[in-house]
Amino acid sequence: MGVRQCRRAAVAVGAALLLAAAGPQAAAEGSAGTAREEPRRGGPSAGDRGALVLVLDSSASMAGDDGTGRSRLESARQAVGTAVGTLPAGHPTGLRVHGAERAGGCTGTRELVPVHPLGKAGLTHALRSLEPRGDSAVGTALERAAQDLPAAVGRASGTRTIVLVSDGRDGCGLPPCEAARKVARGTPGVRIDTIGFQVDGAARAELECVAAAGAGRYRDAPDAGALSRELQRSAQLAADSYRLRGTPVTGTASGDTAPGLVPGQYLDSLGPGEQRHYALRLDGVSTATLSATAVPHPGAAADPGAGLRARLLRDGAARGAEGGEGSACATGEESFAQAEGAVPLTSAVARVPSRRGAGRCDDAGRYLLVVERTGEEGPGTAPWPLELAYTLEEPPGEDAASTAPAEDGEDRREAALPAPAELPHGEPVEVRGGSGFNDAREIGPGVWRDGVLPSQTVWYRVAVGWGQRLRYSVEFTGEPVAEGWSGKGSYGATRVYTPTRVPVGEADGRARRTAYAGRSASLDMATVPVAWSNRYGSGEHVGPVHTSGGFYIAVTLGAGAAEIADDPRVGVVLRLSVLGERRDAAEPGTPAADGGGPADRAADGTGAPADRGRAAPSRADNAQGSGAGWSGMALAGAAGAAAVLLVRRRWAAGERAPAVRGAVGAAEAAGDGAATVADPTDARRRA
């Protein structure tokens, strides 16, 4: 173990002792909703996986023939059994029916299986006892199903899904749309999907209204096969919903009362038209990156122009201009940009100190992160769970290359991608992507095959080292089309994110979305080589690519594909390459392998090397696989909490905040134990 590693280990031990002495008050400063460090994996702040309640029509009308010689109820029982068979073991699932226990009655609804970790045999047995009787009681069943769901964990909770199957209109008095609105207002994170099994126009309109009020989707099932397919899609989408993770925090409408953040991961929620403020202390030398990921219900109705905006403001400027654009140090904005429904959105901002230290956002002090929903018309939809990630990269250390500084005013050119390289071929390996950043599936170079549901986004994580670049293609495979398909198309999309969750822009004319209409369609994506100096480059495909580690690939299929594909999932083939020789460290001005030199120089501005003493962390700091995609910048819980205590003291004294590195939540979730706390005084002395 080197001297530097020994010093860090000693700091970590001391931090743990500080934490024990500080007790539960070791938290970031903030006058409202102050956030605390996240516990280790499995703690209450890790978010929750949500739950599913299947609500099945068992009214007398379900005794009718579905066209196959079987009753609708028989086909529905089989479809529910098939859907349940595709769910992951242990997913919280319950079963409720709407229809009377006695013929001619209107007693409403009853719970057959309470919501608990899925027991497929017990649920299948309960289905066998059903007999079609009485009238539909859709409205009453919805209210009771909401009560069946477990309580939410925090304000940003996992998706609670109600999947309602019905073959007709409510016959028992309580208007279903009114019931759905009541459920949506009173149940955090609820989504109501509806499936009309051989319904007429009036019943279809009623079920469409319920789905819209419940931030879900209506799906039409003209036959038993379609019912089985749509039930599988709704159930699997519920079970595979985004796994939220972080420490609960409540952002405020004003910067004056904003809760204080330290590096880590946090959970909040963002309602229609809302704007939330969070405070942080920055020193004058560290790179700070903040990302906000909104997780609306996938496929829920949304304005195409609706989106998520993140801004980083100097505190004084924010007070003087009420957060006007002129006061922003950095702004990031993402929108749905399609009319098929909501998908996850990630917007990110970064404070990169200028090389000469003369920028208006270079000074140490109090800054504000402002996150807001944009572009919505009318009252908007349900609140969106919001996951915030905040990382700090410490100033370069003692292993920096000694190079001459570049001038700030010099022309900066956008780096072009190196010449295309051939992607791998061969038999694909089966893989199942994750639900989001926190459980993205680790993959490497090769050919991979997965499946994606309409409305779903699946996530993968790929290690890319210093001097290396990522190139991949996504093929949405041709699939049998559903009977009665109208010919209307959908889309497939992909996006790359850096280890600190910053979206990487497209370069060289590449598109991240393609039309999908049941035939094979593909996208080709690439990044520039990873280089420390990229952070000074212009272009959204250059500036973010300045940190090695786990890059994220997100793949989305549009909600409209549900009307196209006959199978529940659409096949996806990824061909993936990581090109270039991995360097041990990202020394400024050092050419990257595999054509990385020109890209690095262009990103630098004019080819001039970086500041004297400003080098990237060494390989020990950025080891492959460290910290759940956070490039070795992760804090362990004890050291992080001690750093929080130091932050509080220095906030009170008006000093510079220490350059604490990492993302606590993501690191702890991955079990990374590399605890480091940087000493800013020592860093400035070395620089």
Side-chain angles (χ1 to χ4, degrees):
M1 183 183 292
V3 172
R4 194 176 185 188
Q5 286 74 25
C6 287
R7 183 168 66 246
R8 286 177 173 164
V11 170
V13 172
L17 295 175
L18 273 172
L19 174 62
Q25 297 304 314
E29 182 268 356
S31 57
T34 299
R36 292 179 297 172
E37 292 295 336
E38 183 179 9
R40 297 192 64 83
R41 176 169 38 178
S45 68
D48 63 282
R49 298 180 59 181
L52 169 66
V53 178
L54 298 168
V55 182
L56 181 61
D57 193 341
S58 65
S59 64
S61 61
M62 291 290 282
D65 192 321
D66 72 349
T68 66
R70 296 184 301 179
S71 71
R72 292 193 186 106
L73 186 57
E74 287 178 290
S75 293
R77 279 198 299 245
Q78 182 175 338
V80 170
T82 301
V84 167
T86 65
L87 294 176
H91 185 72
T93 305
L95 175 64
R96 174 172 287 276
V97 296
H98 59 99
E101 296 186 37
R102 295 184 302 277
C106 193
T107 54
T109 179
R110 56 196 173 102
E111 183 183 61
L112 287 186
V113 178
V115 176
H116 67 286
L118 179 62
K120 298 178 183 179
L123 193 145
T124 302
H125 177 74
L127 284 168
R128 296 195 192 103
S129 68
L130 286 180
E131 295 292 338
R133 297 190 179 97
D135 291 322
S136 294
V138 174
T140 303
L142 287 173
E143 289 192 338
R144 298 288 177 82
Q147 296 169 14
D148 296 341
L149 291 167
V153 178
R155 299 174 64 246
S157 62
T159 301
R160 281 144 175 72
T161 303
I162 298 170
V163 179
L164 170 71
V165 178
S166 183
D167 75 339
R169 300 185 67 183
D170 185 288
C172 290
L174 179 61
C177 262
E178 180 181 320
R181 293 187 190 98
K182 181 179 178 181
V183 167
R185 288 194 301 266
T187 309
V190 75
R191 173 193 176 101
I192 304 174
D193 281 347
T194 59
I195 303 174
F197 186 21
Q198 299 183 332
V199 295
D200 59 20
R204 181 181 294 110
E206 183 175 86
L207 293 173
E208 288 174 341
C209 180
V210 168
R217 291 192 73 88
Y218 169 77
R219 304 178 190 276
D220 198 48
D223 54 51
L227 176 62
S228 180
R229 178 175 63 246
E230 301 304 347
L231 259 173
Q232 288 182 61
R233 285 172 173 164
S234 288
Q236 291 174 25
L237 199 62
D240 293 338
S241 62
Y242 190 104
R243 303 289 192 269
L244 295 160
R245 186 170 292 141
T247 300
V249 65
T250 301
T252 55
S254 163
D256 292 336
T257 57
L261 302 184
V262 294
Q265 195 163 304
Y266 301 91
L267 293 179
D268 201 351
S269 65
L270 191 63
E274 284 188 339
Q275 184 180 90
R276 296 202 176 276
H277 292 72
Y278 312 89
L280 52 147
R281 286 276 180 181
L282 297 180
D283 60 24
V285 291
S286 298
T287 295
T289 304
L290 299 109
S291 75
T293 298
V295 191
H297 295 309
D303 293 328
L308 184 73
R309 178 187 295 148
R311 291 178 292 150
L312 185 64
L313 314 176
R314 279 301 309 271
D315 179 44
R319 285 201 185 104
E322 285 298 319
E325 290 297 329
S327 66
C329 301
T331 301
E333 187 165 3
E334 295 287 322
S335 66
F336 297 126
Q338 44 77 27
E340 294 186 31
V343 295
L345 292 174
T346 297
S347 182
V349 289
R351 194 290 296 265
V352 179
S354 64
R355 294 182 171 184
R356 300 180 65 182
R360 62 188 175 89
C361 293
D362 286 352
D363 292 342
R366 188 176 189 262
Y367 288 73
L368 292 172
L369 170 66
V370 183
V371 183
E372 58 187 311
R373 284 171 66 162
T374 61
E376 292 176 303
E377 297 181 1
T381 57
W384 295 345
L386 189 67
E387 189 173 80
L388 306 174
Y390 170 22
T391 60
L392 277 179
E393 295 171 77
E394 67 179 7
E398 58 222 18
D399 53 358
S402 178
T403 56
E407 295 298 323
D408 269 342
E410 295 177 354
D411 178 59
R412 292 193 176 107
R413 299 168 313 217
E414 293 192 2
L417 292 175
E422 185 176 354
L423 289 167
H425 297 279
E427 189 68 22
V429 176
E430 295 291 330
V431 68
R432 179 56 60 88
S435 70
F437 286 113
N438 300 308
D439 62 351
R441 180 62 184 267
E442 299 270 359
I443 59 174
V447 184
W448 306 89
R449 180 180 175 86
D450 200 351
V452 59
L453 298 164
S455 304
Q456 187 181 35
T457 301
V458 291
W459 300 73
Y460 312 90
R461 181 172 177 267
V462 184
V464 183
W466 295 110
Q468 294 183 317
R469 62 187 177 97
L470 174 65
R471 179 166 183 244
Y472 72 96
S473 69
V474 178
E475 177 192 357
F476 297 89
T477 62
E479 301 287 345
V481 299
E483 185 178 349
W485 173 47
S486 66
K488 183 179 180 181
S490 184
Y491 74 93
T494 187
R495 195 70 189 265
V496 181
Y497 298 87
T498 71
T500 52
R501 305 188 179 188
V502 181
V504 178
E506 298 78 51
D508 292 358
R510 286 173 166 82
R512 57 187 176 94
R513 183 177 291 131
T514 185
Y516 181 75
R519 296 179 296 276
S520 178
S522 61
L523 293 162
D524 188 286
M525 304 298 289
T527 70
V528 298
V530 179
W532 174 266
S533 56
N534 282 351
R535 69 193 64 214
Y536 303 111
S538 61
E540 292 181 354
H541 69 292
V542 178
V545 189
H546 64 250
T547 304
S548 72
F551 279 66
Y552 298 93
I553 295 174
V555 177
T556 300
L557 181 65
E563 301 176 17
I564 302 172
D566 190 52
D567 294 327
R569 294 180 185 268
V570 169
V572 172
V573 175
L574 289 92
R575 303 182 187 278
L576 175 67
S577 293
V578 177
L579 305 170
E581 182 178 350
R582 178 177 176 144
R583 296 204 311 268
D584 285 351
E587 296 177 355
T590 304
D594 190 46
D600 288 358
R601 289 193 293 274
D604 239 347
T606 60
D611 288 356
R612 180 179 303 275
R614 292 185 71 90
S618 67
R619 181 166 60 175
D621 295 326
N622 294 280
Q624 180 175 340
S626 64
W630 295 86
S631 301
M633 295 182 293
L635 285 167
V644 175
L645 183 61
L646 293 176
V647 170
R648 292 187 72 211
R649 291 175 178 171
R650 294 189 181 185
W651 273 64
E655 298 178 19
R656 288 185 173 187
V660 183
R661 299 185 298 150
V664 178
E668 294 295 45
D672 184 4
T676 58
V677 179
D679 182 345
T681 305
D682 183 49
R684 289 193 294 271
R685 186 185 307 121
R686 291 197 305 270

